[in-house]
Amino acid sequence: MEPIKDILDRLDIQIQEPTPTIRLICDFCGREEIYDRISGDTVLDRHYPTCQRCRDNYLDLKISTYIADTIGMRYANADWPLFDGKFKRPINQVMEFMRERVQSNANLYIWGERGAGKTLFAAVLVRDYMRHLGIKERWFPHYIKGRKIAEIYKREEEDKNEVWQELIKSPFFVIDELVTTGDYSAERIFWLVDERYINRRMTIGISNHGRVQIDEGKSGLGIDFGPKIISRLIRDEDDSVLFIQK
C-alpha cells in the first residue's frame, strides 16, 4: 500500500502546519492575549495602542524610553509638577505659554544658573510635545548639546549631510548647553539655527547666560556669533525668554 505522504506528494497536496502562538499578559491591565510567533507581534505592537485602558501608559512608556536614550536616564520621568514654583508665573501659565509657542513654531531662549534644572526642563518639554503630537517617527523631537553640533562636521560627507538635514527638518529642536569651544563651533550653531529660523521650525536654546552677557561676548559663543544666534531665538524679550529660578 502506498504511504500517505507519497500520495500527498504525488497529488501536490500541502499539509498546513499549525501556526505557533504565544500567550502574553499586558503589564498594565493584566489582559491576556494570544499572538502569532511567526509575525513577531508583541503586546507593544498590537495590544497597547488599541487598548483604551493602556493607551496613556503605553505612550508614557515610549516617551520615557525616548528621553532616556536621547537626554539621559535620570531625566526619563521628568514632568511639569517638578517645576512648580520655579518660574515667576504659575506653572499652568508656563504650560499654556509653551504650548502656544509650539503651535506657532515660535523660537524660545531658556536660561538660568547652573543647577537650576534646565536640562530637566528640556526633558519636560520633549515629553509634553510628544504627548500632544503623538509618537509617530515624523513627530519625534531632537535634543542635542551645543558642543556636539561641531562634531557632526567631522563625520564622512554623506553621513554629515544626512544628519544635518535631519536636524534642519526636525519639527521641535532643543539645543542644550548653548556654549562652544570657539568660532568654528559657534558658526555652525548659527548656520543651523538660522536655517531653521528661515524655514519657520521651532528651536529652543538653553544656556547659563542672559542676553546681556551673550551680546557682550561673555557666554562662550563669542562676540561675532553669540549676538547673531540669540537674535534668531529672541524676537521679543517678554515672549521669547524663559528664566528658571534656582
Side-chain angles (χ1 to χ4, degrees), residues 68-83:
D69 289 344
T70 56
I71 303 179
M73 183 65 74
R74 65 180 298 179
Y75 306 109
N77 296 315
D79 214 340
W80 285 109
L82 294 172
F83 284 86

Side-chain angles (χ1 to χ4, degrees), residues 2-17:
E2 189 176 7
I4 296 288
K5 184 177 181 304
D6 293 343
I7 295 173
L8 293 175
D9 288 343
R10 180 162 49 79
L11 297 174
D12 197 24
I13 297 174
Q14 300 294 322
I15 298 177
Q16 185 69 39
E17 293 289 338

Side-chain angles (χ1 to χ4, degrees), residues 111-149:
W111 73 287
E113 297 177 23
R114 292 184 187 279
K118 298 183 295 297
T119 300
L120 185 65
F121 188 61
V124 171
L125 298 182
V126 168
R127 177 179 295 280
D128 199 64
Y129 178 86
M130 293 179 76
R131 265 186 191 146
H132 285 81
L133 292 177
I135 57 173
K136 294 181 179 178
E137 188 174 351
R138 70 175 184 273
W139 294 119
F140 272 25
H142 279 78
Y143 169 94
I144 193 170
K145 292 188 182 291
R147 64 178 181 274
K148 294 287 185 183
I149 293 176

Side-chain angles (χ1 to χ4, degrees), residues 146-147 177-187 189 219-222 229:
R147 64 178 181 274
E177 296 181 8
L178 198 53
V179 63
T180 66
T181 55
D183 283 348
Y184 177 83
S185 300
E187 184 178 19
I189 289 177
S219 66
L221 290 172
I229 292 169

